[in-house]
């Protein structure tokens, strides 16, 4: 089983899809999109991803099925090829807890982690100057959100219960960038022992280790 990922090796969203593919044992071919040439804004690309963002996938083993949005792609890969992984529960209550945790990632983590990543890593790569005020504000907000994570993770091993789900995996790309951009103490901090335990465990997963520095 091989899917085609149209993306950028170092992009966080591309790595999110690559990590899920590794988790469920789906092989992929990465078709690089050249940001420097604006390929992601070209009409040929926009036909597949109307927002001009990476990644999108094509699954030629399933009628050339196409999909964009990294979390939706992750869900598709698990449901189509990795149901046995348990990364998306089937029991109604467990599924609801998974959706709750996935929503927490999108609403409470991504918004701050992605801003930190942009200001500290991607802005300088684009020749822009980081906005230190924005950076400090979002580091503070992320720390505050992680206090709530500490409460959740003091009661269960993972965010949706005692079994790992895709909701945990979704945190990896931006969490990893934040941790390596000088803010490791947001995720590994003796004041938040359960967040530290959780982060150290998910970041060590072989699937993430295989793609952490490039899909
Ligand atoms: N919600 C989308 C976000 C995609 C996204 O922001 N991709 C970034 C790279 S990680 C991108 O293509 N940036 C270029 C741009 O927005 O012009 C997803 O999860 O796939």
């Amino acid at each position: 089983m091989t899917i085609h990922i149209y993306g950028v090796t170092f992009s966080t969203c591309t790595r999110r899809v690559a990590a899920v593919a590794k988790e469920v044992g789906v092989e992929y071919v990465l078709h690089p999109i050249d940001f420097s040439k604006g390929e992601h804004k070209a009409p040929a690309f926009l036909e597949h991803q109307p927002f001009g963002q990476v990644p999108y996938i094509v699954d030629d083993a399933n009628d050339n099925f196409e999909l964009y949005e990294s979390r939706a792609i992750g869900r598709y890969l698990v449901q189509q090829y990795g149901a046995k992984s348990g990364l998306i529960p089937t029991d109604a209550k467990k599924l609801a807890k998974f959706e709750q945790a996935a929503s927490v990632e999108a609403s409470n983590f991504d918004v701050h982690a992605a801003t930190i990543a942009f200001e500290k890593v991607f802005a300088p790569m684009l020749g822009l100057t980081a906005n230190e005020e924005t950076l400090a504000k979002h580091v503070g907000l992320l720390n505050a959100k992680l206090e709530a994570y500490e409460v959740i993770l003091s009661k269960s091993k993972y965010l949706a219960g005692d079994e790992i789900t895709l909701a945990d995996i979704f945190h990896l790309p931006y969490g990893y960038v934040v941790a390596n951009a000088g803010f490791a103490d947001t995720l590994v901090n003796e004041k938040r022992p359960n967040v530290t335990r959780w982060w150290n465990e998910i970041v060590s997963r072989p699937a993430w280790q295989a793609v952490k520095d490039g899909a």
Side-chain angles (χ1 to χ4, degrees):
M1 170 49 47
T2 304
I3 59 155
H4 300 271
I5 303 178
Y6 293 79
V8 174
T9 184
F10 62 78
S11 108
T12 44
C13 302
T14 303
R15 281 183 280 162
R16 181 178 288 120
V17 169
V20 178
K22 294 275 182 196
E23 286 282 353
V24 298
V26 169
E27 292 190 13
Y28 63 82
V29 177
L30 178 68
H31 300 268
I33 301 301
D34 192 340
F35 274 10
S36 70
K37 291 187 183 150
E39 279 180 6
H40 55 316
K41 305 297 179 193
F45 185 89
L46 294 173
E47 269 180 37
H48 303 279
Q49 215 290 8
F51 299 96
Q53 295 181 316
V54 295
Y56 75 88
I57 63 156
V58 178
D59 183 358
D60 54 16
N62 194 10
D63 298 328
N64 289 327
F65 180 64
E66 284 196 21
L67 196 64
Y68 55 83
E69 282 294 329
S70 60
R71 294 167 184 82
I73 298 168
R75 282 170 163 85
Y76 169 71
L77 292 178
V78 169
Q79 284 172 326
Q80 180 71 8
Y81 298 114
K84 285 190 190 144
S85 69
L87 289 173
I88 299 180
T90 48
D91 167 81
K93 286 198 275 188
K94 287 183 179 173
L95 180 61
K97 291 284 189 186
F98 158 70
E99 289 297 354
Q100 174 180 266
S103 188
V104 164
E105 186 271 333
S107 314
N108 295 298
F109 185 86
D110 183 76
V111 60
H112 306 304
T115 305
I116 295 166
F118 179 79
E119 294 297 340
K120 194 72 185 174
V121 180
F122 300 126
M125 278 168 71
L126 296 167
L128 304 170
T129 309
N131 182 327
E132 294 297 333
E133 204 178 313
T134 302
L135 182 61
K137 179 178 148 194
H138 284 275
V139 171
L141 289 169
L142 181 62
N143 271 309
K145 297 295 184 183
L146 288 170
E147 288 296 316
Y149 273 59
E150 178 64 21
V151 174
I152 298 167
L153 292 165
S154 69
K155 295 177 187 158
S156 59
K157 210 169 160 205
Y158 300 100
L159 286 175
D162 287 327
E163 280 143 38
I164 191 162
T165 67
L166 216 44
D168 302 290
I169 305 294
F170 283 167
H171 289 75
L172 283 164
Y174 277 114
Y176 187 76
V177 174
V178 166
N180 286 285
F183 302 103
D185 64 350
T186 54
L187 291 158
V188 177
N189 189 320
E190 60 185 18
K191 290 187 192 146
R192 289 194 281 266
N194 290 290
V195 170
T196 301
R197 164 190 59 70
W198 167 78
W199 177 254
N200 282 338
E201 186 180 327
I202 64 172
V203 84
S204 307
R205 288 178 76 82
W208 178 249
Q209 288 297 310
V211 302
K212 65 185 170 64
D213 296 316

